[in-house]
Amino acid sequence: MKNKVIFLVDMESFYVSVEKADHLELNNRPVIVSGDPERRSGVVLAACSVAKKHGVKNASRLGEAQLKCPNAVVIRPRMQKYLEVSLQITNVLERFTDQVEPYSIDEQFLDVTGSQNLLGLPWEMAKNIQEIIKKETQIQARVGIGPNKFLAKMACEGFAKKNASGIFELNANNMKQFMWTLPIDKMHGVGERMSEHLCKMGMRTIGDLATYPLSTLKKRWGIPGQVLWETANGIDASPVIADSHSNQKAIGHAMTLPRDYSSKSDIKVVLLELCEEVCRRARSASVMGRTVSISVHGANVGSPTGFHRQVTLLNTTNNTMDVYRTALELFERFWDCVPIRRISAGLSNLCSADSVQLDLFNNVIRKRDLDYTVDSIKNRFGDAAIVHASSLTDAGQAYHRAATIGGHYK
Ligand SMILES: [Mg+2]
């Protein structure tokens, strides 16, 4: 089989670059995007290269950043705008292949294996991509190239972001020379805790991990240990999964209540049940979503009450509590205290859950383990086998719905 050619295309200082493209007068000035410009305790979400030259770092306190760079222009983030530009960039990338997978708001994976005959060598395509993105959005893109997603990501993080061309390729031939010399905490998917563990076991570089006895790692961590070792050796089979970003795909679940619910604590109980059901279906379909929606309706069809609201998150998720917290925020913001009879929750803007495998070792995994454990108990022993404690209250519908399988609640 022909070697794959995968790109990871990343935008330099994305939020700030979008702001600078929109405000040409800011061109050579230090610019910081920060959650709450009025509060010095806010966090720097993005800083431009001019601000970074003054020592401003992403994720530092705004007050601290302003001490280092007193004349920085501080801008409040405009997430909707950044999402729009992100989609615009997806559209550019789709001219090169139909296999485009948005990975985060400013990073997208491409499988350009089939595009080479038509569009040239990987390096030429990468340069073209940079030029078109620059021309159409004024944003500088960096491209990591590899035979799989992991090496493409490492090529970008470790090298393309640091060299003059903004392009770098990692492959089986140069992996040892370049990637293996990087410190272990620079390995994608290895969080702070994991890298401490590995250091204690004597592994300081990615190469140390790659040449560590596999059997020891497997004994210690099981399959995740093996995956870790394989990725350090440049092995990663996860495919680029094209995602029609504006897709209609959505997972929703609605519940008609046995009576009017008018207390917030009761409604919270059923909202959690709904989010659990939606997320469970997302997990079993191996998808995650970025947009959370809720609808509520009153009992009286003659005088309709209620609302539908949605919000788009920065990261995709299928975690029950993530979705519940978001849905609850929407509810608390928009509910006018009119009693409700029907309520629904939805997750849309879906993409494959596989890309998360790269993040196997950050703390997402604990949350995910809990979700999947709950799912497998329900799959084996029935929906009522495990429920949130809140479902045991009078407001809870989980038991009743479990008893009416095939009934009209499902
Ligand atoms: Mg970036």
Coordinates of all heavy atoms in Angstrom, one line a residue, residues 255 269-270 272-274 276-277 280 283 320-321 370-371 373-379 381-403 410:
M255 N -38.2 14.7 26.0 CA -39.0 14.0 27.1 C -40.2 14.8 27.3 O -40.2 16.1 27.6 CB -38.1 14.0 28.3 CG -38.3 12.8 29.2 SD -37.5 13.1 30.8 CE -35.8 12.6 30.4
V269 N -33.0 17.8 37.3 CA -32.9 16.3 37.3 C -33.2 15.8 35.9 O -32.4 14.9 35.4 CB -33.9 15.8 38.3 CG1 -34.0 14.3 38.2 CG2 -33.6 16.2 39.7
V270 N -34.2 16.2 35.3 CA -34.5 15.6 33.9 C -33.6 16.1 32.9 O -33.2 15.4 31.9 CB -36.0 15.9 33.5 CG1 -37.0 15.1 34.3 CG2 -36.4 17.4 33.5
L272 N -30.4 16.5 33.3 CA -29.2 15.6 33.5 C -29.5 14.3 32.8 O -28.7 13.7 32.1 CB -28.9 15.5 34.9 CG -27.7 14.5 35.2 CD1 -26.4 14.8 34.5 CD2 -27.4 14.4 36.7
E273 N -30.8 13.8 33.0 CA -31.1 12.5 32.4 C -31.1 12.6 30.9 O -30.6 11.7 30.2 CB -32.5 12.1 32.8 CG -32.6 11.7 34.3 CD -34.0 11.3 34.8 OE1 -35.0 11.4 34.0 OE2 -34.1 11.0 35.9
L274 N -31.6 13.7 30.3 CA -31.6 13.9 28.9 C -30.1 14.0 28.3 O -29.8 13.4 27.3 CB -32.3 15.2 28.5 CG -33.8 15.2 28.5 CD1 -34.3 16.7 28.3 CD2 -34.3 14.4 27.3
E276 N -27.5 12.8 29.7 CA -26.9 11.5 29.8 C -27.3 10.6 28.6 O -26.4 9.9 28.0 CB -27.3 10.8 31.1 CG -27.0 9.3 31.2 CD -25.9 9.1 32.2 OE1 -24.8 9.7 32.1 OE2 -26.2 8.3 33.1
E277 N -28.5 10.7 28.2 CA -29.0 9.9 27.1 C -28.4 10.3 25.8 O -27.9 9.5 25.0 CB -30.6 9.9 27.0 CG -31.2 9.1 25.9 CD -30.9 7.6 26.1 OE1 -30.8 7.2 27.3 OE2 -30.9 6.9 25.1
R280 N -24.7 9.3 25.8 CA -24.6 7.9 25.7 C -24.7 7.5 24.2 O -24.0 6.7 23.7 CB -25.6 7.2 26.5 CG -25.5 5.7 26.5 CD -26.7 5.2 27.4 NE -26.8 3.8 27.2 CZ -27.9 3.1 27.5 NH1 -28.9 3.8 28.0 NH2 -27.9 1.8 27.4
R283 N -21.6 8.6 22.4 CA -20.5 7.7 22.6 C -20.6 6.4 21.9 O -19.7 5.8 21.4 CB -20.4 7.4 24.2 CG -20.0 8.7 24.9 CD -19.6 8.4 26.4 NE -20.8 8.0 27.2 CZ -21.5 8.8 27.9 NH1 -21.2 10.1 27.9 NH2 -22.5 8.3 28.6
T320 N -20.9 13.5 29.5 CA -22.3 13.8 30.1 C -22.2 15.1 30.9 O -23.0 16.0 30.7 CB -22.8 12.7 31.0 OG1 -22.9 11.5 30.2 CG2 -24.1 13.0 31.6
M321 N -21.2 15.2 31.8 CA -21.2 16.4 32.7 C -20.9 17.7 31.9 O -21.4 18.7 32.2 CB -20.3 16.2 33.9 CG -20.8 15.1 34.8 SD -22.6 15.1 35.2 CE -22.6 16.6 36.3
L370 N -15.3 7.0 33.1 CA -16.5 6.9 33.9 C -17.7 6.8 33.0 O -18.6 6.0 33.2 CB -16.6 8.2 34.7 CG -17.9 8.3 35.6 CD1 -17.9 7.2 36.6 CD2 -17.9 9.7 36.3
D371 N -17.8 7.7 31.9 CA -18.9 7.6 31.0 C -19.0 6.2 30.4 O -20.1 5.6 30.3 CB -18.7 8.6 29.8 CG -19.0 10.0 30.3 OD1 -19.8 10.2 31.2 OD2 -18.6 10.9 29.6
T373 N -17.9 3.4 31.4 CA -18.2 2.4 32.4 C -19.7 2.4 32.7 O -20.4 1.3 32.7 CB -17.5 2.6 33.7 OG1 -16.1 2.7 33.4 CG2 -17.7 1.5 34.7
V374 N -20.3 3.6 32.9 CA -21.7 3.7 33.1 C -22.5 3.1 31.9 O -23.4 2.3 32.0 CB -22.1 5.2 33.3 CG1 -23.7 5.3 33.3 CG2 -21.6 5.7 34.6
D375 N -22.0 3.4 30.7 CA -22.7 2.9 29.4 C -22.7 1.4 29.4 O -23.7 0.7 29.1 CB -21.9 3.4 28.2 CG -22.1 4.9 28.0 OD1 -23.0 5.5 28.7 OD2 -21.4 5.4 27.1
S376 N -21.5 0.8 29.8 CA -21.5 -0.7 29.6 C -22.3 -1.4 30.7 O -22.9 -2.4 30.4 CB -20.0 -1.2 29.7 OG -19.4 -0.8 30.8
I377 N -22.4 -0.7 31.9 CA -23.3 -1.3 32.9 C -24.8 -1.3 32.4 O -25.5 -2.2 32.4 CB -23.2 -0.5 34.2 CG1 -21.9 -0.8 34.8 CG2 -24.3 -1.0 35.2 CD1 -21.5 0.0 36.1
K378 N -25.2 -0.1 31.8 CA -26.5 0.0 31.3 C -26.8 -1.0 30.1 O -27.8 -1.6 30.0 CB -26.8 1.4 30.8 CG -27.0 2.4 31.9 CD -27.4 3.7 31.4 CE -27.7 4.7 32.6 NZ -28.2 5.9 32.2
N379 N -25.8 -1.1 29.2 CA -26.0 -2.0 28.1 C -26.2 -3.4 28.6 O -26.9 -4.2 28.0 CB -24.8 -1.9 27.2 CG -24.7 -0.6 26.5 OD1 -25.6 0.2 26.5 ND2 -23.5 -0.2 25.9
F381 N -27.0 -4.5 31.9 CA -28.0 -4.8 32.9 C -29.3 -4.0 32.8 O -30.2 -4.0 33.6 CB -27.4 -4.6 34.3 CG -26.2 -5.5 34.5 CD1 -24.9 -4.9 34.6 CD2 -26.3 -6.8 34.7 CE1 -23.8 -5.7 34.8 CE2 -25.2 -7.6 34.9 CZ -24.0 -7.1 34.9
G382 N -29.4 -3.1 31.8 CA -30.6 -2.4 31.6 C -30.4 -0.9 32.0 O -29.5 -0.6 32.8
D383 N -31.3 -0.1 31.5 CA -31.1 1.4 31.7 C -31.3 1.8 33.2 O -30.7 2.8 33.6 CB -32.2 2.1 30.9 CG -31.8 2.1 29.4 OD1 -30.8 1.6 29.1 OD2 -32.6 2.7 28.6
A384 N -32.0 1.0 34.0 CA -32.2 1.4 35.3 C -31.1 0.9 36.3 O -31.1 1.1 37.5 CB -33.6 0.9 35.8
A385 N -30.2 0.1 35.7 CA -29.2 -0.5 36.6 C -28.3 0.5 37.3 O -27.8 0.3 38.4 CB -28.3 -1.4 35.7
I386 N -28.1 1.6 36.6 CA -27.3 2.7 37.2 C -27.9 4.0 36.8 O -28.0 4.3 35.6 CB -25.8 2.5 36.9 CG1 -25.0 3.6 37.6 CG2 -25.5 2.6 35.4 CD1 -23.5 3.3 37.7
V387 N -28.2 4.9 37.8 CA -28.7 6.2 37.5 C -28.1 7.2 38.4 O -27.5 6.9 39.4 CB -30.3 6.3 37.6 CG1 -31.0 5.3 36.7 CG2 -30.7 6.0 39.1
H388 N -28.1 8.5 38.0 CA -27.7 9.5 38.9 C -28.5 9.6 40.1 O -29.8 9.3 40.1 CB -27.7 10.9 38.2 CG -26.7 11.0 37.1 ND1 -25.4 11.4 37.3 CD2 -26.8 10.7 35.8 CE1 -24.8 11.4 36.2 NE2 -25.6 11.0 35.2
A389 N -27.9 9.9 41.3 CA -28.7 9.9 42.5 C -29.9 10.8 42.4 O -31.0 10.6 43.0 CB -27.8 10.4 43.7
S390 N -29.7 11.9 41.7 CA -30.8 12.9 41.5 C -32.0 12.3 40.9 O -33.2 12.7 41.1 CB -30.3 14.1 40.7 OG -29.9 13.7 39.4
S391 N -31.8 11.2 40.1 CA -33.0 10.6 39.4 C -33.9 9.8 40.4 O -34.9 9.4 40.1 CB -32.5 9.6 38.3 OG -32.0 10.3 37.2
L392 N -33.4 9.6 41.6 CA -34.2 9.0 42.6 C -35.2 9.9 43.3 O -36.1 9.5 44.0 CB -33.3 8.4 43.7 CG -32.3 7.3 43.2 CD1 -31.4 6.9 44.3 CD2 -33.0 6.1 42.6
T393 N -35.1 11.2 42.9 CA -36.1 12.1 43.5 C -37.4 12.0 42.7 O -37.5 11.3 41.7 CB -35.6 13.6 43.3 OG1 -35.5 13.9 41.9 CG2 -34.3 13.8 44.0
D394 N -38.4 12.6 43.2 CA -39.7 12.5 42.6 C -39.7 13.0 41.1 O -40.5 12.6 40.3 CB -40.7 13.4 43.4 CG -42.1 13.5 42.8 OD1 -42.6 12.4 42.5 OD2 -42.6 14.6 42.6
A395 N -38.8 14.0 40.8 CA -38.8 14.5 39.5 C -38.1 13.6 38.4 O -38.4 13.7 37.2 CB -38.0 15.8 39.5
G396 N -37.4 12.6 38.9 CA -36.6 11.8 38.0 C -37.5 11.0 37.1 O -38.6 10.5 37.5
Q397 N -37.1 10.8 35.9 CA -37.8 10.0 34.9 C -37.1 8.8 34.5 O -37.6 7.9 33.7 CB -38.1 10.9 33.7 CG -39.1 12.0 33.9 CD -40.4 11.5 34.4 OE1 -41.1 10.8 33.7 NE2 -40.8 11.9 35.6
A398 N -35.8 8.6 34.9 CA -35.0 7.6 34.4 C -35.6 6.2 34.6 O -35.6 5.3 33.7 CB -33.6 7.7 35.0
Y399 N -36.0 5.9 35.9 CA -36.6 4.6 36.2 C -37.8 4.3 35.3 O -38.0 3.3 34.7 CB -37.0 4.5 37.7 CG -35.8 4.0 38.5 CD1 -35.2 4.8 39.4 CD2 -35.3 2.7 38.3 CE1 -34.2 4.3 40.2 CE2 -34.3 2.2 39.0 CZ -33.7 3.0 40.0 OH -32.7 2.6 40.7
H400 N -38.7 5.3 35.3 CA -39.9 5.2 34.6 C -39.7 4.9 33.1 O -40.3 4.0 32.5 CB -40.8 6.4 34.7 CG -42.1 6.3 34.0 ND1 -43.1 5.4 34.2 CD2 -42.5 7.1 32.9 CE1 -44.0 5.6 33.4 NE2 -43.7 6.6 32.6
R401 N -38.8 5.6 32.5 CA -38.5 5.5 31.1 C -37.9 4.1 30.9 O -38.1 3.5 29.9 CB -37.5 6.6 30.6 CG -38.3 7.9 30.5 CD -37.4 8.9 29.8 NE -36.1 9.0 30.4 CZ -35.0 9.2 29.8 NH1 -34.9 9.1 28.5 NH2 -33.9 9.3 30.5
A402 N -37.0 3.6 31.8 CA -36.4 2.3 31.6 C -37.5 1.3 31.6 O -37.4 0.3 30.9 CB -35.4 2.1 32.8
A403 N -38.6 1.5 32.4 CA -39.6 0.5 32.4 C -40.5 0.6 31.2 O -41.3 -0.3 30.9 CB -40.5 0.8 33.7
K410 N -39.2 7.2 24.5 CA -37.9 6.8 23.9 C -37.9 7.2 22.4 O -38.9 7.3 21.8 CB -37.6 5.4 24.0 CG -37.3 5.1 25.5 CD -36.2 4.1 25.6 CE -35.6 4.1 27.0 NZ -34.4 3.5 27.2

